[in-house]
Each structure stands twice: as structure tokens, then as C-alpha cells.
Amino acid sequence: MMMAAALLTATSCSDFDDYNEVQINTEQSANLTLWENIEQNSQLSQFKELIEKAGFADELKGSRYYTVWAPLNNTFDKAAYDTLSKDEIMARFVYNHVADYNHPISGDVINKVFTLNRKTHNFVGNGGAFTFAGVQLAQVNIPSTNGLIHTMNGAVEFYFNIYDYIMSFQTTDSIGSYFAKYETRELDKVNSVQGPMVNGLQT
């Protein structure tokens, strides 16, 4: 009887300590922005560097809500991305790992997620094993003031569609350059999300 009581006490203390530790970590991350959480995680330094090269760091400090799937160090070929231009890193890597809105893991997950580069990726899993675009997740549901982070054991592969392929080979006499001449961009105010105030102006 005494052994059973002692075992119950030991188990309860262990469970309480584990629960308490998770809560402390969660509270710390929840008080920081997405960028601050990425910046302070030593296992995301390669991901952080590519975000900085692409010029997306300020966006992860703002009020717009994102979900970020962040590859851990040495789980992807960073050197291959280092050879790309700023715009290419943004389109093929950064935007491939970030989506608008909240995409948490709660129970079973069977979702299709549209990332910022308009690619569709499967976000699935159950029983504690989850994948995004076929890549296994390492840690899930890391809260931030402006979003959520899931860390990954690898990077999401970028697949070219016809437009991506044509526009990636722009020279003075290429088809890509011909199409680019007629391409226009405009702000859709009705469907846009307000960003932070910058120099007194609403972005």
C-alpha cells in the first residue's frame, strides 16, 4: 500500500513538472513576435539568415497573423539557396514556408494549405506524427503574438508551374521578358489585410 502511494506521488510530481515546464516555454514564446522566436532559436539560424536575405524579417515583426513552418538547421541544403537572388529566395523558399492565418495542430489534421507563393501543400497527421508537404514536423504549435510556428526536419520543395518556369528565364529576347512587359500589379483594398503603421502611414 505504501509503495503504491509512493509510486503515485512520484508519478504525479513528474507529470506536474513536465506540464509546468511546457507551460513556461509556451508563455515565453507567446509574448514574442514570430521574428523574435525565430531569432532566439539557435536551431533556426539558417532559416533566419535566409529570411533576412529575402527582406521578410520586418513582416514577421508586424501585426499580420502568419503560420510559419521553419526548417531546422542542417536539415536542408542552405548552400543551394545562397546562390539565388533576393527575389528568388523570397518566392521559392520564404513564401513556400509561410501561410496567412492560423494553422494549429489539434487532434487529427487533414488540410490543404495555400502558402504565400500560392502553392498548395498537404498538412496532415495523427497520433503525434505530422507532416507538411511530406516533411516531418519536429515541434508544433509554438505561439507568438502575431502567429504560430511549427519546426520541420527539412525544407518544403519548390515546384515550378509553367508561369514560374517561363519567368525564371528572363533575358532580353526571352518569352519571360515578353510576358513581363504586360504584367501589372495593383492593390485590392477590399480583400487586403491592413499591415502596421510605417512612418505614420497605414500599410
Side-chain angles (χ1 to χ4, degrees), residues 114-178:
F114 290 92
T115 46
L116 295 184
N117 57 3
R118 300 182 182 179
K119 303 295 182 181
T120 306
H121 301 295
N122 291 324
F123 186 28
V124 299
N126 58 69
F130 301 94
T131 61
F132 181 68
V135 181
Q136 184 180 22
L137 301 190
Q139 187 177 359
V140 302
N141 294 342
I142 303 170
S144 304
T145 58
N146 58 341
L148 198 63
I149 299 172
H150 307 295
T151 62
M152 309 172 65
N153 292 317
V156 177
E157 188 171 351
F158 179 83
Y159 293 101
F160 285 81
N161 56 31
I162 294 174
Y163 176 82
D164 295 327
Y165 185 80
I166 290 174
M167 299 305 287
S168 68
F169 292 100
Q170 288 192 47
T171 60
T172 54
D173 58 349
S174 71
I175 296 176
S177 295
Y178 175 80

Side-chain angles (χ1 to χ4, degrees), residues 46 49-50 53 77-86 89:
Q46 293 178 335
E49 186 178 331
L50 290 173
K53 284 186 176 181
D77 186 4
K78 179 178 176 294
Y81 294 103
D82 285 332
T83 64
L84 302 178
S85 68
K86 173 182 175 180
I89 293 173

Side-chain angles (χ1 to χ4, degrees), residues 8 28-29 58 68 72 76 78 98 100 113 118 121 144 149 166 179 196:
L8 180 60
Q28 288 175 346
S29 71
D58 285 344
V68 178
L72 295 169
F76 66 101
K78 179 178 176 294
V98 182
D100 278 315
V113 174
R118 300 182 182 179
H121 301 295
S144 304
I149 299 172
I166 290 174
F179 284 133

Side-chain angles (χ1 to χ4, degrees), residues 58-59 62-64 66 187 189 192-203:
D58 285 344
E59 188 68 19
S63 58
R64 186 170 174 177
Y66 292 114
L187 175 63
K189 292 184 178 180
S192 295
V193 178
Q194 285 190 347
M197 296 294 291
V198 177
N199 296 326
L201 299 176
Q202 179 70 60
T203 61

